Amino acid sequence: GQNIDQPTEMTATEGAIVQINCTYQTSGFNGLFWYQQHAGEAPTFLSYNVLDGLEEKGRFSSFLSRSKGYSYLLLKELQMKDSASYLCAVRDRAGGGNKLTFGTGTQLKVEL
Amino acid sequence: EAGVAQSPRYKIIEKRQSVAFWCNPISGHATLYWYQQILGQGPKLLIQFQNNGVVDDSQLPKDRFSAERLKGVDSTLKIQPAKLEDSAVYLCASSLRQGLADTQYFGPGTRLTVL
């Protein structure tokens, strides 16, 4: 099975930088995804990491260390619209499919 | 490009009743997923289809849940009979294939309330 841990809640100030951590344990790691989910809406894809290192996409960056079972999502120049839940999801080779297991999500609140 | 479509958006039923949800994936996407998301939790995979075949249904409560994707495009998820603990958002997602960098795209979901 898999175990994915991320903080339940975080609060940050508009214009600041915030880092959301995710740790995982899995036997057949095959990639890590970050999704953003606004209240009452569907998750939307943010980033994907399968190799160690940093992936940058505009204000959002995601980092992966496979040996440590660790990832983080970095959000720069925070805006009010970034208030949402951020879901870490790990893909596993088991079962031959593209199976994602999601963490419980980190609820980010951006304040003035 | 049109996204994943789902209907209905909201459904309220009494326990022991039946309910069905419909999903139309992004055109050309071979793989379709149904997830259950309980309030305050991440989505949990219920079933995954590759075209019209089931790839993974290990977390589907088969005594009450069923799903089909007969022509490899649209899919229906059914609950019969519903229990109170089935209250959740049911999300449908699709991806082009099962490849290494294949991203899942989610529909808006159906919010089910069981009374």
Side-chain angles (χ1 to χ4, degrees), chain A residues 24-95:
Chain A
Y24 64 88
Q25 294 175 320
T26 183
S27 55
F29 179 81
N30 197 19
L32 187 144
F33 292 77
W34 284 95
Y35 281 82
Q36 180 192 60
Q37 187 175 28
H38 285 99
E41 298 182 12
T44 55
F45 169 74
L46 288 178
S47 69
Y48 168 74
N49 295 72
V50 67
L51 299 176
D52 291 351
L54 189 69
E55 294 284 341
E56 297 187 80
K57 190 185 294 185
R59 296 190 298 115
F60 293 64
S61 303
S62 56
F63 172 83
L64 175 67
S65 169
R66 289 172 295 169
S67 62
K68 296 181 179 177
Y70 168 69
S71 174
Y72 66 73
L73 180 69
L74 194 71
L75 292 78
K76 303 175 186 175
E77 301 170 14
L78 279 173
Q79 302 175 10
M80 299 297 289
K81 67 178 181 179
D82 297 329
S83 293
S85 180
Y86 290 85
L87 297 161
C88 173
V90 175
R91 183 163 60 193
D92 196 294
R93 290 192 190 91

Coordinates of all heavy atoms in Angstrom, one line a residue, chain A residues 24-95:
Chain A
Y24 N 6.0 10.5 1.1 CA 5.2 9.3 0.7 C 6.0 8.0 0.9 O 7.3 8.1 1.0 CB 4.8 9.4 -0.8 CG 6.0 9.5 -1.7 CD1 6.6 8.3 -2.2 CD2 6.6 10.7 -2.1 CE1 7.7 8.4 -3.1 CE2 7.7 10.8 -2.9 CZ 8.2 9.6 -3.4 OH 9.3 9.7 -4.2
Q25 N 5.3 6.9 1.0 CA 6.0 5.6 1.0 C 5.2 4.8 0.0 O 4.0 4.6 0.1 CB 5.8 5.0 2.4 CG 6.6 5.8 3.5 CD 6.4 5.2 4.9 OE1 5.3 4.8 5.2 NE2 7.4 5.1 5.7
T26 N 6.0 4.2 -0.9 CA 5.3 3.3 -1.9 C 6.4 2.3 -2.4 O 7.6 2.6 -2.5 CB 4.8 4.2 -3.1 OG1 4.1 3.3 -4.0 CG2 5.8 4.9 -3.8
S27 N 5.9 1.2 -2.9 CA 6.8 0.1 -3.3 C 7.2 0.3 -4.8 O 8.2 -0.2 -5.3 CB 6.2 -1.2 -3.1 OG 4.9 -1.3 -3.6
G28 N 6.3 0.9 -5.6 CA 6.5 1.0 -7.0 C 6.3 2.4 -7.6 O 5.6 2.6 -8.5
F29 N 7.1 3.3 -7.0 CA 7.0 4.7 -7.4 C 7.1 4.9 -8.9 O 8.1 4.4 -9.5 CB 8.0 5.6 -6.7 CG 7.9 7.0 -7.0 CD1 7.0 7.8 -6.4 CD2 8.8 7.6 -8.0 CE1 6.9 9.2 -6.8 CE2 8.7 8.9 -8.3 CZ 7.8 9.7 -7.7
N30 N 6.2 5.7 -9.5 CA 6.2 5.9 -10.9 C 5.7 7.3 -11.2 O 5.0 7.5 -12.2 CB 5.3 4.9 -11.6 CG 5.6 4.8 -13.1 OD1 6.6 5.2 -13.6 ND2 4.6 4.2 -13.8
G31 N 6.0 8.3 -10.3 CA 5.7 9.6 -10.6 C 4.9 10.3 -9.5 O 4.1 9.6 -8.8
L32 N 5.0 11.6 -9.4 CA 4.3 12.3 -8.4 C 3.6 13.6 -9.0 O 4.3 14.3 -9.8 CB 5.2 12.8 -7.2 CG 4.5 13.4 -6.0 CD1 5.2 13.0 -4.7 CD2 4.5 14.9 -6.1
F33 N 2.4 13.8 -8.7 CA 1.6 14.9 -9.3 C 1.1 15.8 -8.2 O 0.9 15.4 -7.0 CB 0.3 14.3 -9.9 CG 0.6 13.5 -11.2 CD1 1.0 12.2 -11.1 CD2 0.3 14.1 -12.4 CE1 1.2 11.4 -12.2 CE2 0.5 13.3 -13.6 CZ 1.0 12.0 -13.5
W34 N 1.0 17.1 -8.5 CA 0.3 18.1 -7.7 C -0.9 18.6 -8.4 O -0.8 18.9 -9.6 CB 1.3 19.2 -7.3 CG 2.3 18.9 -6.3 CD1 3.6 18.5 -6.5 CD2 2.1 19.0 -4.9 NE1 4.2 18.3 -5.3 CE2 3.4 18.6 -4.3 CE3 1.1 19.3 -4.0 CZ2 3.6 18.5 -2.9 CZ3 1.3 19.3 -2.7 CH2 2.5 18.9 -2.1
Y35 N -2.0 18.6 -7.7 CA -3.2 19.2 -8.2 C -3.7 20.3 -7.3 O -3.5 20.3 -6.1 CB -4.3 18.1 -8.3 CG -4.2 17.1 -9.4 CD1 -3.4 16.0 -9.4 CD2 -5.0 17.3 -10.5 CE1 -3.3 15.2 -10.5 CE2 -5.0 16.4 -11.6 CZ -4.1 15.4 -11.6 OH -4.0 14.5 -12.6
Q36 N -4.4 21.2 -7.9 CA -5.1 22.3 -7.1 C -6.6 22.1 -7.2 O -7.1 21.7 -8.2 CB -4.7 23.7 -7.8 CG -5.4 24.9 -7.1 CD -5.2 26.1 -7.9 OE1 -5.7 26.2 -9.0 NE2 -4.6 27.1 -7.3
Q37 N -7.2 22.2 -6.0 CA -8.7 22.1 -6.0 C -9.3 23.2 -5.2 O -9.2 23.3 -4.0 CB -9.0 20.7 -5.4 CG -10.5 20.4 -5.5 CD -10.9 19.0 -5.0 OE1 -10.2 18.4 -4.1 NE2 -11.9 18.4 -5.5
H38 N -10.1 24.0 -5.9 CA -10.8 25.1 -5.3 C -12.1 24.4 -4.7 O -12.6 23.4 -5.3 CB -11.2 26.2 -6.2 CG -10.0 27.1 -6.5 ND1 -9.3 27.0 -7.7 CD2 -9.5 28.1 -5.8 CE1 -8.3 27.9 -7.6 NE2 -8.4 28.6 -6.5
A39 N -12.6 25.0 -3.7 CA -13.8 24.5 -3.0 C -15.0 24.3 -4.0 O -15.3 25.2 -4.7 CB -14.3 25.4 -1.9
G40 N -15.5 23.1 -4.0 CA -16.6 22.8 -4.9 C -16.3 22.5 -6.3 O -17.2 22.4 -7.2
E41 N -15.0 22.5 -6.6 CA -14.6 22.3 -8.0 C -13.7 21.0 -8.1 O -13.3 20.4 -7.2 CB -13.8 23.5 -8.5 CG -14.6 24.8 -8.5 CD -13.9 26.0 -9.1 OE1 -12.8 25.8 -9.6 OE2 -14.4 27.1 -8.9
A42 N -13.5 20.7 -9.4 CA -12.6 19.5 -9.7 C -11.2 19.8 -9.5 O -10.7 21.0 -9.6 CB -12.9 19.0 -11.1
P43 N -10.3 18.8 -9.2 CA -8.9 19.0 -9.1 C -8.4 19.4 -10.5 O -8.8 18.8 -11.5 CB -8.3 17.7 -8.7 CG -9.5 17.0 -8.1 CD -10.7 17.4 -8.8
T44 N -7.4 20.3 -10.6 CA -6.8 20.7 -11.8 C -5.3 20.4 -11.7 O -4.7 20.7 -10.7 CB -7.0 22.2 -12.2 OG1 -6.6 23.0 -11.1 CG2 -8.5 22.4 -12.5
F45 N -4.7 19.9 -12.8 CA -3.3 19.5 -12.8 C -2.4 20.7 -12.7 O -2.6 21.8 -13.3 CB -3.0 18.8 -14.1 CG -1.6 18.5 -14.4 CD1 -0.9 17.6 -13.7 CD2 -0.9 19.3 -15.4 CE1 0.4 17.3 -14.0 CE2 0.4 19.1 -15.6 CZ 1.1 18.1 -14.9
L46 N -1.4 20.6 -11.8 CA -0.4 21.7 -11.6 C 1.0 21.2 -12.1 O 1.6 21.9 -12.9 CB -0.2 22.1 -10.2 CG -1.4 22.9 -9.5 CD1 -1.1 23.1 -8.1 CD2 -1.6 24.2 -10.3
S47 N 1.5 20.1 -11.7 CA 2.8 19.7 -12.0 C 3.0 18.2 -11.9 O 2.2 17.5 -11.3 CB 3.8 20.4 -11.1 OG 3.7 19.9 -9.8
Y48 N 4.1 17.7 -12.5 CA 4.4 16.3 -12.5 C 5.9 16.1 -12.4 O 6.7 16.8 -13.0 CB 4.0 15.7 -13.8 CG 4.5 14.3 -14.1 CD1 4.0 13.2 -13.4 CD2 5.5 14.1 -15.1 CE1 4.5 11.9 -13.7 CE2 6.0 12.8 -15.4 CZ 5.5 11.8 -14.7 OH 6.0 10.5 -14.9
N49 N 6.4 15.3 -11.5 CA 7.8 14.9 -11.3 C 7.9 13.4 -11.3 O 7.2 12.7 -10.6 CB 8.3 15.4 -9.9 CG 8.3 16.9 -9.8 OD1 7.3 17.6 -9.7 ND2 9.5 17.5 -9.8
V50 N 8.9 13.0 -12.0 CA 9.3 11.5 -12.0 C 10.8 11.3 -11.7 O 11.2 10.3 -11.1 CB 8.8 10.8 -13.3 CG1 9.7 11.2 -14.5 CG2 8.9 9.3 -13.1
L51 N 11.6 12.4 -12.1 CA 13.0 12.3 -11.8 C 13.3 13.3 -10.6 O 12.5 14.3 -10.4 CB 13.8 12.7 -13.0 CG 13.6 11.7 -14.2 CD1 14.4 12.3 -15.4 CD2 14.0 10.3 -13.8
D52 N 14.4 13.1 -9.9 CA 14.8 14.0 -8.9 C 15.0 15.4 -9.4 O 15.6 15.6 -10.5 CB 16.1 13.5 -8.2 CG 15.8 12.3 -7.4 OD1 14.6 11.9 -7.2 OD2 16.8 11.7 -6.9
G53 N 14.7 16.4 -8.7 CA 15.0 17.8 -9.1 C 13.8 18.7 -9.1 O 12.7 18.3 -8.6
L54 N 14.0 19.9 -9.6 CA 13.0 20.9 -9.6 C 12.4 21.1 -10.9 O 13.1 21.2 -11.9 CB 13.6 22.2 -9.1 CG 12.7 23.4 -8.8 CD1 11.9 23.1 -7.5 CD2 13.6 24.7 -8.6
E55 N 11.0 21.2 -11.0 CA 10.3 21.5 -12.2 C 9.6 22.9 -12.0 O 8.9 23.0 -11.0 CB 9.2 20.5 -12.5 CG 9.8 19.1 -12.9 CD 10.3 19.0 -14.3 OE1 9.9 19.9 -15.1 OE2 11.1 18.1 -14.6
E56 N 9.9 23.8 -12.8 CA 9.4 25.2 -12.7 C 8.4 25.5 -13.8 O 8.6 25.2 -14.9 CB 10.5 26.2 -12.7 CG 11.5 26.0 -11.5 CD 12.5 27.2 -11.4 OE1 12.2 28.2 -10.9 OE2 13.6 26.9 -11.9
K57 N 7.2 26.1 -13.3 CA 6.2 26.5 -14.3 C 5.6 27.7 -13.8 O 4.6 27.7 -13.0 CB 5.2 25.3 -14.4 CG 4.2 25.5 -15.5 CD 3.1 24.4 -15.5 CE 3.6 23.0 -15.7 NZ 2.5 22.0 -15.8
G58 N 6.1 28.9 -14.3 CA 5.6 30.1 -13.8 C 5.8 30.4 -12.4 O 6.9 30.2 -11.8
R59 N 4.7 30.7 -11.6 CA 4.8 31.0 -10.2 C 4.9 29.7 -9.4 O 5.1 29.7 -8.2 CB 3.6 31.8 -9.7 CG 3.5 33.2 -10.3 CD 2.4 34.0 -9.6 NE 1.0 33.4 -9.8 CZ 0.3 32.9 -8.8 NH1 0.8 32.9 -7.5 NH2 -0.9 32.4 -9.0
F60 N 4.7 28.5 -10.0 CA 4.6 27.3 -9.3 C 5.9 26.4 -9.7 O 6.3 26.3 -10.8 CB 3.4 26.5 -9.7 CG 2.1 27.1 -9.2 CD1 1.7 28.3 -9.7 CD2 1.3 26.4 -8.3 CE1 0.5 28.9 -9.3 CE2 0.1 27.0 -7.9 CZ -0.3 28.2 -8.4
S61 N 6.5 25.8 -8.7 CA 7.6 24.9 -8.8 C 7.3 23.7 -8.0 O 6.7 23.8 -6.9 CB 8.9 25.5 -8.4 OG 9.2 26.7 -9.1
S62 N 7.8 22.5 -8.5 CA 7.7 21.3 -7.7 C 9.0 20.6 -7.7 O 9.7 20.5 -8.7 CB 6.6 20.4 -8.2 OG 6.8 20.1 -9.6
F63 N 9.3 20.0 -6.5 CA 10.6 19.4 -6.3 C 10.4 17.9 -5.9 O 9.4 17.6 -5.2 CB 11.4 20.1 -5.2 CG 12.6 19.4 -4.7 CD1 13.8 19.5 -5.5 CD2 12.6 18.6 -3.6 CE1 15.0 18.8 -5.1 CE2 13.8 17.9 -3.2 CZ 14.9 18.0 -3.9
L64 N 11.3 17.1 -6.3 CA 11.1 15.6 -5.9 C 12.5 15.1 -5.5 O 13.5 15.3 -6.2 CB 10.6 14.8 -7.1 CG 10.6 13.3 -6.9 CD1 9.5 12.9 -5.8 CD2 10.3 12.6 -8.2
S65 N 12.5 14.3 -4.4 CA 13.6 13.5 -4.0 C 13.1 12.1 -3.8 O 12.4 11.8 -2.8 CB 14.3 14.0 -2.7 OG 15.2 13.1 -2.2
R66 N 13.4 11.2 -4.7 CA 12.9 9.8 -4.7 C 13.5 9.1 -3.5 O 12.9 8.3 -2.9 CB 13.2 9.1 -6.0 CG 12.3 9.6 -7.1 CD 12.7 9.0 -8.4 NE 14.0 9.4 -8.8 CZ 14.7 8.9 -9.8 NH1 14.2 7.9 -10.5 NH2 15.9 9.3 -10.1
S67 N 14.8 9.3 -3.3 CA 15.5 8.6 -2.2 C 14.9 8.9 -0.8 O 14.9 8.1 0.1 CB 17.0 8.9 -2.2 OG 17.2 10.2 -2.0
K68 N 14.4 10.1 -0.7 CA 13.8 10.6 0.6 C 12.3 10.4 0.6 O 11.7 10.7 1.7 CB 14.2 12.0 0.9 CG 15.7 12.2 1.1 CD 16.0 13.7 1.4 CE 17.5 13.9 1.6 NZ 17.8 15.3 1.9
G69 N 11.7 10.0 -0.5 CA 10.2 10.0 -0.5 C 9.6 11.3 -0.2 O 8.7 11.4 0.6
Y70 N 10.1 12.3 -0.9 CA 9.7 13.7 -0.5 C 9.5 14.6 -1.7 O 10.3 14.5 -2.7 CB 10.8 14.3 0.4 CG 10.8 15.7 0.7 CD1 9.8 16.3 1.5 CD2 11.8 16.6 0.2 CE1 9.8 17.6 1.7 CE2 11.7 18.0 0.4 CZ 10.7 18.5 1.2 OH 10.7 19.8 1.5
S71 N 8.5 15.4 -1.6 CA 8.3 16.4 -2.6 C 7.8 17.7 -2.0 O 7.2 17.6 -0.9 CB 7.2 15.9 -3.6 OG 6.8 16.9 -4.5
Y72 N 7.9 18.8 -2.7 CA 7.3 20.0 -2.2 C 6.8 20.8 -3.4 O 7.3 20.7 -4.5 CB 8.2 20.9 -1.3 CG 9.4 21.5 -2.0 CD1 9.3 22.6 -2.9 CD2 10.7 21.1 -1.7 CE1 10.4 23.1 -3.4 CE2 11.8 21.6 -2.2 CZ 11.7 22.7 -3.1 OH 12.8 23.2 -3.7
L73 N 5.7 21.6 -3.1 CA 5.2 22.5 -4.1 C 5.5 23.9 -3.6 O 5.2 24.2 -2.5 CB 3.7 22.3 -4.3 CG 3.0 23.2 -5.3 CD1 3.4 22.9 -6.7 CD2 1.4 23.1 -5.1
L74 N 6.1 24.7 -4.5 CA 6.5 26.1 -4.1 C 5.6 27.0 -4.9 O 5.6 27.0 -6.1 CB 7.9 26.3 -4.4 CG 8.6 27.5 -3.8 CD1 8.7 27.3 -2.2 CD2 10.0 27.8 -4.4
L75 N 4.9 27.9 -4.1 CA 4.1 28.9 -4.8 C 4.7 30.3 -4.5 O 4.8 30.7 -3.3 CB 2.7 28.9 -4.3 CG 1.8 27.7 -4.6 CD1 2.1 26.5 -3.8 CD2 0.3 28.0 -4.5
K76 N 5.0 31.0 -5.5 CA 5.6 32.3 -5.4 C 4.6 33.4 -5.7 O 3.6 33.2 -6.3 CB 6.8 32.5 -6.3 CG 7.9 31.5 -6.2 CD 9.0 31.6 -7.3 CE 10.0 30.5 -7.2 NZ 10.9 30.6 -8.3
E77 N 4.9 34.6 -5.2 CA 4.0 35.8 -5.4 C 2.6 35.4 -5.2 O 1.7 35.6 -6.1 CB 4.3 36.3 -6.9 CG 5.7 36.7 -7.1 CD 6.0 37.0 -8.6 OE1 5.0 37.1 -9.4 OE2 7.1 37.0 -9.0
L78 N 2.3 35.0 -4.1 CA 0.9 34.5 -3.8 C -0.2 35.5 -4.1 O 0.0 36.7 -3.8 CB 0.8 34.1 -2.3 CG 1.4 32.7 -1.9 CD1 1.4 32.5 -0.4 CD2 0.6 31.6 -2.6
Q79 N -1.2 35.0 -4.6 CA -2.4 35.8 -4.9 C -3.6 35.2 -4.1 O -3.6 34.0 -3.8 CB -2.7 35.8 -6.4 CG -1.5 36.3 -7.3 CD -1.8 36.2 -8.8 OE1 -2.9 35.9 -9.2 NE2 -0.7 36.4 -9.5
M80 N -4.6 36.0 -3.9 CA -5.8 35.6 -3.2 C -6.4 34.4 -3.9 O -6.9 33.4 -3.2 CB -6.8 36.7 -3.1 CG -6.3 37.9 -2.3 SD -5.9 37.5 -0.6 CE -7.5 37.3 0.1
K81 N -6.4 34.3 -5.2 CA -7.0 33.2 -5.9 C -6.2 31.9 -5.7 O -6.7 30.8 -6.1 CB -7.0 33.5 -7.4 CG -5.7 33.6 -8.1 CD -5.8 33.8 -9.6 CE -4.4 33.8 -10.3 NZ -4.5 34.1 -11.7
D82 N -5.1 31.9 -5.1 CA -4.3 30.7 -4.8 C -4.9 30.0 -3.6 O -4.5 28.8 -3.3 CB -2.8 31.0 -4.6 CG -2.2 31.6 -5.8 OD1 -2.6 31.2 -6.9 OD2 -1.2 32.4 -5.7
S83 N -5.8 30.6 -2.9 CA -6.5 29.9 -1.7 C -7.3 28.7 -2.3 O -8.2 28.9 -3.1 CB -7.4 30.9 -1.0 OG -6.7 31.9 -0.4
A84 N -6.8 27.5 -1.9 CA -7.4 26.3 -2.4 C -6.8 25.1 -1.6 O -5.9 25.3 -0.8 CB -7.1 26.2 -3.9
S85 N -7.2 24.0 -2.0 CA -6.6 22.7 -1.4 C -5.6 22.2 -2.5 O -5.8 22.2 -3.7 CB -7.6 21.7 -1.2 OG -7.0 20.5 -0.7
Y86 N -4.4 21.8 -2.0 CA -3.3 21.3 -2.9 C -3.1 19.9 -2.6 O -2.8 19.5 -1.4 CB -2.1 22.2 -2.7 CG -2.3 23.5 -3.3 CD1 -2.9 24.5 -2.5 CD2 -2.0 23.8 -4.6 CE1 -3.1 25.8 -3.0 CE2 -2.2 25.1 -5.1 CZ -2.8 26.1 -4.3 OH -3.1 27.3 -4.8
L87 N -3.3 19.0 -3.6 CA -3.3 17.6 -3.4 C -2.0 17.0 -4.0 O -1.7 17.3 -5.2 CB -4.5 17.0 -4.2 CG -5.9 17.3 -3.7 CD1 -6.9 17.1 -4.7 CD2 -6.2 16.6 -2.4
C88 N -1.4 16.2 -3.2 CA -0.2 15.5 -3.6 C -0.7 14.1 -4.0 O -1.5 13.5 -3.3 CB 0.8 15.4 -2.5 SG 2.2 14.4 -2.7
A89 N -0.3 13.6 -5.2 CA -0.7 12.3 -5.6 C 0.4 11.5 -6.2 O 1.2 12.0 -7.0 CB -1.8 12.4 -6.7
V90 N 0.5 10.2 -5.7 CA 1.7 9.4 -6.1 C 1.1 8.3 -7.1 O 0.1 7.6 -6.8 CB 2.3 8.8 -4.9 CG1 3.4 7.7 -5.3 CG2 3.0 9.9 -4.1
R91 N 1.8 8.1 -8.2 CA 1.5 7.0 -9.1 C 2.3 5.7 -8.8 O 3.5 5.8 -8.5 CB 1.6 7.4 -10.5 CG 1.2 6.3 -11.5 CD 1.0 6.9 -12.9 NE 2.2 7.5 -13.4 CZ 2.3 8.3 -14.5 NH1 1.2 8.6 -15.1 NH2 3.5 8.7 -14.9
D92 N 1.6 4.6 -8.9 CA 2.2 3.3 -8.5 C 2.2 2.4 -9.7 O 1.1 2.4 -10.4 CB 1.5 2.8 -7.3 CG 2.3 1.7 -6.6 OD1 2.5 0.6 -7.2 OD2 2.7 1.9 -5.5
R93 N 3.2 1.6 -9.9 CA 3.2 0.6 -11.0 C 2.3 -0.5 -10.7 O 1.9 -1.2 -11.6 CB 4.6 0.1 -11.2 CG 5.6 1.0 -11.7 CD 6.9 0.3 -12.2 NE 7.9 1.3 -12.5 CZ 8.8 1.7 -11.6 NH1 8.8 1.3 -10.4 NH2 9.7 2.6 -12.0
A94 N 2.0 -0.8 -9.5 CA 1.2 -2.0 -9.1 C -0.1 -2.1 -9.9 O -0.8 -1.1 -10.1 CB 1.0 -2.0 -7.6
G95 N -0.4 -3.2 -10.3 CA -1.7 -3.4 -11.0 C -1.6 -3.1 -12.5 O -2.6 -3.3 -13.2

